[in-house]
Amino acid sequence: MKVLILGCGYTGSRLAHFLLAQGVAVVITTRRGVVPDGMRAACYAFDYDSPEKLTLLPPEAWAGVTHVLDSIPPNSQGVDPVAACFIPVLESAKLRWFGYLSTTGVYGDSQGAWVNELTPVNPQSERSHHRVNAETAFLQSKLPTHIFRLPGIYGPGRSMLERLRTGKVRRIDKPGHVFCRIHVDDIVRTLWNSMQQPQPGSIYNVSDDEPTEPSNLIVEAAHLLGIAPPPAIPFDPTSMSAMSASFWEESRRVSNQKIKTELGSLLYPTYREGLRAILQEEAASVA
Ligand SMILES: NC(=O)c1ccc[n+]([C@@H]2O[C@H](COP(=O)([O-])OP(=O)(O)OC[C@H]3O[C@@H](n4cnc5c(N)ncnc54)[C@H](OP(=O)(O)O)[C@@H]3O)[C@@H](O)[C@H]2O)c1
């Protein structure tokens, strides 16, 4: 088994460290070709948006690769870098598994209702339209494609705990407006289990058990830090950036039943366990 991670950012790095700990050979790309701190993997530069730096990976990058994870999002023009550059070479590599990290944004707004993998996509934002296009390109290719639709990713170094420590969190109160999330290690676990038992053409929602209002998450994180949560502020889209306001235009509950049936249980079924694990990991790293 040899895994190529195209776009080794936050999730890709967590996966790479996990795979390396299992003794799996790992090859990665980043835009600058610089290997993330502490990782012992061969690293190549791939930056679709910097044509002068755009290098189509040399043959040695692909040699012996059996599994490929694509973690690169479509660019601001809506072009998916991997679909645009690599589908033919990936098809000729005779992979056992190809995974694409997509987003639950492809479901659009369900006004808080549950959605699952059989729910038709209904993208509303331009970004989500681009995601549907990328998913379609990979599913229609000859690759052994697995699509993983992700909600908000959190984990060590990227959670409400860090945000609260900055003192800049606004606790927006919009009763009934829920969002979903997933701990990065549950993405890693799901990807690993899928790599062991390929089911080409599969789509999986990778979300935890408990969609919740952001305010509840903030209160829990503040409790764990032993600080008072910021005051609740009534929802007012006119007081937000366009990006933040667009975030509040959609609400859905994303079912994870399929991954739990086919790919195993979650390490962190809700944000409560996930946030506690982050604090424990932080404490262990300073001990
Ligand atoms: N974060 C979330 O809450 C969330 C939610 C749903 C879906 N997703 C999607 O899930 C995937 C993983 O998320 P993440 O937060 O782990 O991603 P991330 O940390 O932003 O990593 C993305 C990776 O893609 C590379 N990349 C970005 N644009 C590129 C381009 N134009 N050409 C070549 N490489 C490019 C980055 O290169 P560098 O390493 O050089 O930066 C990085 O390695 C992404 O596709 C993300 O959009 C994220």
Side-chain angles (χ1 to χ4, degrees):
M1 181 173 184
K2 182 173 180 183
V3 181
L4 169 62
I5 301 175
L6 295 167
C8 196
Y10 182 70
T11 306
S13 293
R14 201 81 178 173
L15 175 68
H17 283 296
F18 172 86
L19 293 170
L20 290 165
Q22 310 298 311
V24 174
V26 176
V27 181
I28 67 168
T29 75
T30 59
R31 280 174 286 195
R32 291 172 51 230
V34 176
V35 70
D37 279 350
M39 191 186 297
R40 297 169 130 215
C43 181
Y44 296 88
F46 172 60
D47 183 349
Y48 182 79
D49 291 316
S50 214
E52 71 279 7
K53 283 192 282 163
L54 175 64
T55 44
L56 292 182
L57 300 183
E60 61 266 27
W62 304 101
V65 168
T66 54
H67 297 64
V68 172
L69 179 72
D70 174 10
S71 181
I72 300 177
N75 73 0
S76 53
Q77 281 81 51
V79 179
D80 187 273
V82 175
C85 297
F86 295 134
I87 285 182
V89 69
L90 287 168
E91 285 175 336
S92 66
K94 300 277 181 279
L95 301 174
R96 295 212 289 268
W97 183 96
F98 174 81
Y100 175 63
L101 299 187
S102 182
T103 157
T104 54
V106 297
Y107 295 115
D109 179 29
S110 69
Q111 300 186 350
W114 286 96
V115 295
N116 65 27
E117 293 84 347
L118 298 175
T119 305
V121 295
N122 182 25
Q124 279 153 33
S125 70
E126 198 176 32
R127 287 191 312 277
S128 299
H129 276 279
H130 297 155
R131 287 293 187 170
V132 172
N133 293 341
E135 286 188 0
T136 304
F138 294 124
L139 287 167
Q140 289 181 347
S141 73
K142 297 188 184 74
L143 295 171
T145 297
H146 303 72
I147 304 284
F148 300 90
R149 292 180 176 157
L150 310 176
I153 302 168
Y154 75 101
R158 196 197 266 191
S159 77
M160 187 52 70
L161 299 165
E162 281 80 31
R163 293 185 51 209
L164 278 170
R165 286 175 179 134
T166 68
K168 291 186 184 156
V169 173
R170 297 175 78 222
R171 177 155 71 101
I172 308 291
D173 188 31
K174 191 177 181 205
H177 195 116
V178 299
F179 294 109
C180 296
R181 57 198 60 74
I182 188 72
H183 190 290
V184 66
D185 287 347
D186 276 318
I187 303 175
V188 168
R189 187 181 170 100
T190 303
L191 295 171
W192 173 245
N193 288 340
S194 172
M195 287 177 191
Q196 312 297 309
Q197 40 182 316
Q199 296 285 341
S202 292
I203 296 174
Y204 300 104
N205 293 332
V206 191
S207 191
D208 77 13
D209 287 351
E210 193 173 309
T212 195
E213 294 169 19
S215 175
N216 295 338
L217 176 76
I218 295 169
V219 169
E220 176 71 8
H223 168 71
L224 291 175
L225 291 174
I227 60 175
I233 306 169
F235 174 70
D236 173 11
T238 62
S239 71
M240 298 175 178
S241 68
M243 185 70 177
S244 300
S246 76
F247 180 69
W248 285 90
E249 279 169 7
E250 299 178 11
S251 176
R252 58 191 161 259
R253 289 181 164 80
V254 178
S255 169
N256 60 12
Q257 201 54 50
K258 183 173 177 183
I259 54 163
K260 291 206 290 189
T261 304
E262 296 187 14
L263 298 176
S265 59
L266 296 177
L267 294 166
Y268 308 112
T270 78
Y271 59 93
R272 282 179 283 276
E273 296 82 19
L275 291 173
R276 279 177 174 74
I278 294 168
L279 284 179
Q280 280 165 9
E281 188 168 324
E282 283 178 5
S285 71
V286 293

